[in-house]
Amino acid sequence: MSRRYRARIGFSAAVAVLMASLALPQASARTADSGSRCSGGYVALTFDDGPTGTTAAYLKALRDAGRARATFFVTGTLADGQRAGTRRIVAEGHQVGNHSSTHPDLVQLDAATAFAELRDTSRVVRTQTGRAPTLFRPPFGSTDARTRRDAARLGMTEVIWTADTVDWSGIPTETIVANALTVKPGGIILMHDGLPTTLAAIPKIVQGLAERGVCPGRIVYSPTPVEAWPGLTFHAKAAPWR
Ligand SMILES: [Zn+2]
């Protein structure tokens, strides 16, 4: 949450689309998230602030980790310059979400500028992938009623997180893994694109989850509010891929 993070990143961007239904048939067959293997439930792996030059390596790491599927919350400005990256994310069966256009603190902006941050990224994602995103994550988790209304107006559910890896802070891979594995079933793990330490954490997180019978899932609307931290709830949870 992190003002420090904001300073480092400067900007990035935008939300998530439920591209699960675009998953290739063979990918669905290979993931077959059913039966006893996932008896411990599902959690969502999420990667913010891409696409970056490292996104392809993240996708490979997920593929190599038993075709684990994740959600990438992309920023519009970066997605616009990494068109192939966004398409590739979707082609490999992952979700793409909206993380704003320039990664501002949305609640500090005037209404028109704040709405444009979301709208423009949804357009970019739709142009690149064929579908507008249905998931939105506000930069820094900074949100309010107006932000949620803007997201809803664009057909998106707001997604915060329930397990923060703090991977942006320079901590080692093992700590990122440990932080990720504090997640509870149904929960959502926050990570970031473009970090070698996080890239290295991917197989270990997937393995740690598997040892608990937990599978990576997609993000869906949750009628029950979920607490991100005291004073902030959201309506999203992890569920099996379709
Ligand atoms: Zn971000």
Side-chain angles (χ1 to χ4, degrees), residues 5 9 11-14 48-50 73 75 99-100 103 137-141 161 190-192:
Y5 181 57
I9 287 285
F11 58 79
S12 66
D48 289 7
D49 300 347
F73 286 94
T75 58
H99 193 44
S100 83
H103 210 276
R137 175 173 280 159
F140 320 108
W161 54 81
L190 172 65
M191 293 176 276
H192 295 85

Side-chain angles (χ1 to χ4, degrees), residues 1-210:
M1 324 195 296
S2 65
R3 308 277 157 166
R4 276 179 294 165
Y5 181 57
R6 171 163 49 173
R8 185 175 76 76
I9 287 285
F11 58 79
S12 66
V15 180
V17 170
L18 238 289
M19 302 311 299
S21 56
L22 285 188
L24 303 174
Q26 75 250 44
S28 300
R30 280 180 200 146
T31 46
D33 292 343
S34 59
S36 59
R37 192 167 70 80
C38 306
S39 59
Y42 294 81
V43 301
L45 310 176
T46 70
F47 302 103
D48 289 7
D49 300 347
T52 72
T54 316
T55 305
Y58 275 53
L59 294 175
K60 181 176 189 308
L62 290 164
R63 240 178 6 251
D64 292 347
R67 290 198 166 264
R69 292 159 77 185
T71 302
F72 290 78
F73 286 94
V74 303
T75 58
T77 47
L78 293 177
D80 224 7
Q82 299 272 352
R83 183 170 294 240
T86 309
R87 284 201 184 132
R88 182 84 177 275
I89 290 167
V90 170
E92 298 206 15
H94 306 286
Q95 293 177 297
V96 172
N98 182 327
H99 193 44
S100 83
S101 286
T102 67
H103 210 276
D105 184 346
L106 291 166
V107 305
Q108 303 295 330
L109 301 180
D110 66 76
T113 307
F115 182 74
E117 282 281 337
L118 276 58
R119 179 201 61 206
D120 292 352
T121 295
S122 285
R123 282 180 179 163
V124 166
V125 170
R126 180 173 191 151
T127 298
Q128 295 185 0
T129 69
R131 284 197 189 184
T134 60
L135 303 176
F136 161 72
R137 175 173 280 159
F140 320 108
S142 176
T143 187
D144 58 8
R146 184 189 73 188
T147 303
R148 280 187 287 273
R149 272 200 307 276
D150 285 350
R153 194 172 146 196
L154 292 163
M156 300 187 290
T157 296
E158 182 174 78
V159 180
I160 309 296
W161 54 81
T162 64
D164 187 355
T165 61
V166 207
D167 59 344
W168 51 269
S169 66
I171 58 176
T173 291
E174 293 308 324
T175 311
I176 294 170
V177 174
N179 290 343
L181 294 178
T182 63
V183 72
K184 304 283 192 299
I188 297 167
I189 302 170
L190 172 65
M191 293 176 276
H192 295 85
D193 201 340
L195 299 171
T197 45
T198 299
L199 174 61
I202 289 173
K204 297 167 196 255
I205 291 169
V206 173
Q207 184 186 340
L209 293 173

